[in-house]
């Protein structure tokens, strides 16, 4: 867990995004919130393409939180429809670009149709070697940690391990996307400066980037701005700035 950022490694391996502001984008235009989500898909496509071109290893997008079920029923069902149609229309192109798609969260809460589409998408793209695109749906960071604890508790119950084996490294093995590089850069659009229960375990050492832009207005230029900001961050992982400076001199 944890790694050191050197000057040569100033591109994030793993970017995570909270795509916020679709509703406000639509409201400003006197349009229904669902129009904002549709515009959000367009921005999502552009950002995915830019990540493929920039050879980013992993992109994790927060598409639907476990708390989003509290929204008006009509908005929830139109979001589900949008996920389904977007997967249907985009999966072949993503596959051609060698994108590997995975879904994290409690997918069992979705309709059979959506679950099947998710499964087919994961199966079709599982051997791709390009961008790893994770879509968090019905995901919550607390659920993720509790889920990991449950799996560990089962291992203890079955005698495979004992309570003494439980440490941060073990828990880390059971949370979502832990087989991938840890998130380096977190981006949140929409002006709020909070994590909103997204990947709370995984974000321990992630650089946090917030922008007032609403998600449908986010594009490749804005992504480049976030990447430039990230390139200038000094990642210390608990060490001092001097220690990092020394290590960089040795590595250069
Ligand atoms: C938050 O904005 C956005 C969402 C809850 C949905 C995000 C989904 C997409 C952009 C579609 C992506 C599609 C795929 C298949 C990945 P908000 O509605 O909370 O905006 P507000 O804060 O302005 O109300």
């Amino acid at each position: 867990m944890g790694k050191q950022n050197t000057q040569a490694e100033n591109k994030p391996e793993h970017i995570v995004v909270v795509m916020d502001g679709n509703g406000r984008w639509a409201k400003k235009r006197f349009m229904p919130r669902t129009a904002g989500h549709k515009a959000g898909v367009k921005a999502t496509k552009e950002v995915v393409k830019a990540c493929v071109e920039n050879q980013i290893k992993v992109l994790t997008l927060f598409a639907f939180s476990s708390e989003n079920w509290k929204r008006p029923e009509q908005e929830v069902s139109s979001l589900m429809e949008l996920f389904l149609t977007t997967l249907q229309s985009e999966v072949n192109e993503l596959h051609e670009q060698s994108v590997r798609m995975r879904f994290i969260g409690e997918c069992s809460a979705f309709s059979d149709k959506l679950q099947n589409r998710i499964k087919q998408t994961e199966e079709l793209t599982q051997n791709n070697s390009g961008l790893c695109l994770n879509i968090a749906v019905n995901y919550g960071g607390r659920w993720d940690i509790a889920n990991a604890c449950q799996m560990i508790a089962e291992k203890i119950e079955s005698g495979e391990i004992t309570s003494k084996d439980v440490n941060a490294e073990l828990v880390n093995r059971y949370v979502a996307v832990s087989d991938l590089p840890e998130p380096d850069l977190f981006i949140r659009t929409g002006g709020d400066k909070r994590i909103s229960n997204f990947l709370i375990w995984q974000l321990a050492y992630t650089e946090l980037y917030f922008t007032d832009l609403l998600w449908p207005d986010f594009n490749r230029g804005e992504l480049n701005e976030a990447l430039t900001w990230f390139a200038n961050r000094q990642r210390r992982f608990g060490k001092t700035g001097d220690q990092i400076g020394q290590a960089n001199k040795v590595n250069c």
Side-chain angles (χ1 to χ4, degrees):
M1 287 163 79
K3 61 191 160 187
Q4 189 166 295
N5 209 33
T6 65
Q7 280 161 355
E9 286 173 355
N10 53 9
K11 187 167 80 172
E13 286 191 311
H14 186 169
I15 303 176
V16 306
V17 189
V18 174
M19 309 178 287
D20 200 13
N22 293 347
R24 278 165 285 161
W25 183 92
K27 198 170 176 193
K28 268 169 64 179
R29 289 163 179 77
F30 306 101
M31 289 158 92
R33 292 178 59 82
T34 48
H37 296 313
K38 273 194 195 145
V41 171
K42 206 164 156 252
T44 308
K45 279 159 59 173
E46 183 167 335
V47 167
V48 170
K49 210 166 168 207
C51 284
V52 170
E53 286 163 14
N54 274 300
Q55 296 180 327
I56 299 294
K57 282 193 183 152
V58 191
L59 175 66
T60 303
L61 303 172
F62 205 2
F64 192 83
S65 78
S66 25
E67 289 76 31
N68 285 152
W69 295 109
K70 294 177 197 151
R71 293 187 173 210
E73 211 180 304
Q74 194 260 336
E75 182 172 344
V76 171
S77 60
S78 104
L79 269 171
M80 295 300 143
E81 190 58 33
L82 191 62
F83 294 149
L84 195 61
T85 53
T86 307
L87 281 182
Q88 268 159 357
S89 63
E90 301 306 317
V91 71
N92 287 336
E93 198 182 324
L94 291 168
H95 185 44
E96 274 165 28
Q97 292 171 347
S98 206
V99 174
R100 176 161 60 122
M101 284 186 77
R102 278 204 221 164
F103 293 79
I104 58 169
E106 280 192 282
C107 293
S108 57
F110 297 130
S111 69
D112 287 348
K113 207 170 164 189
L114 186 50
Q115 283 188 58
N116 285 338
R117 176 57 61 180
I118 286 174
K119 202 163 158 253
Q120 282 164 10
T121 304
E122 286 183 334
E123 280 172 6
L124 176 72
T125 64
Q126 66 186 342
N127 295 321
N128 288 344
S129 56
L131 173 74
C132 183
L133 175 59
N134 304 308
I135 312 283
V137 279
N138 196 20
Y139 175 87
R142 289 179 178 173
W143 164 81
D144 193 3
I145 296 169
N147 194 46
C149 292
Q150 196 170 42
M151 288 192 270
I152 291 168
E154 281 165 12
K155 296 250 175 248
I156 295 173
E157 266 174 10
S158 71
E160 267 179 77
I161 57 170
T162 73
S163 61
K164 290 201 170 46
D165 296 316
V166 180
N167 55 28
E169 217 168 292
L170 184 82
V171 177
N172 195 54
R173 264 188 250 154
Y174 289 91
V175 292
V177 301
S178 62
D179 56 325
L180 300 169
E182 281 186 26
D184 300 297
L185 172 62
F186 166 101
I187 299 174
R188 181 180 185 133
T189 60
D192 289 319
K193 293 184 173 60
R194 51 178 175 251
I195 309 285
S196 295
N197 199 19
F198 190 37
L199 296 169
I200 48 178
W201 174 278
Q202 296 85 339
L203 291 175
Y205 285 100
T206 307
E207 299 295 326
L208 307 178
Y209 180 87
F210 299 95
T211 166
D212 288 337
L213 275 181
L214 304 174
W215 178 248
D217 293 326
F218 197 83
N219 55 30
R220 89 183 33 238
E222 302 302 331
L223 177 69
N224 284 339
E225 239 174 78
L227 292 175
T228 303
W229 174 86
F230 177 85
N232 290 308
R233 304 296 307 154
Q234 185 190 53
R235 305 189 75 198
R236 294 194 287 277
F237 300 102
K239 294 184 178 174
T240 68
D242 286 348
Q243 285 174 301
I244 301 299
Q246 283 303 323
N248 283 349
K249 268 186 212 144
V250 171
N251 287 333
C252 281

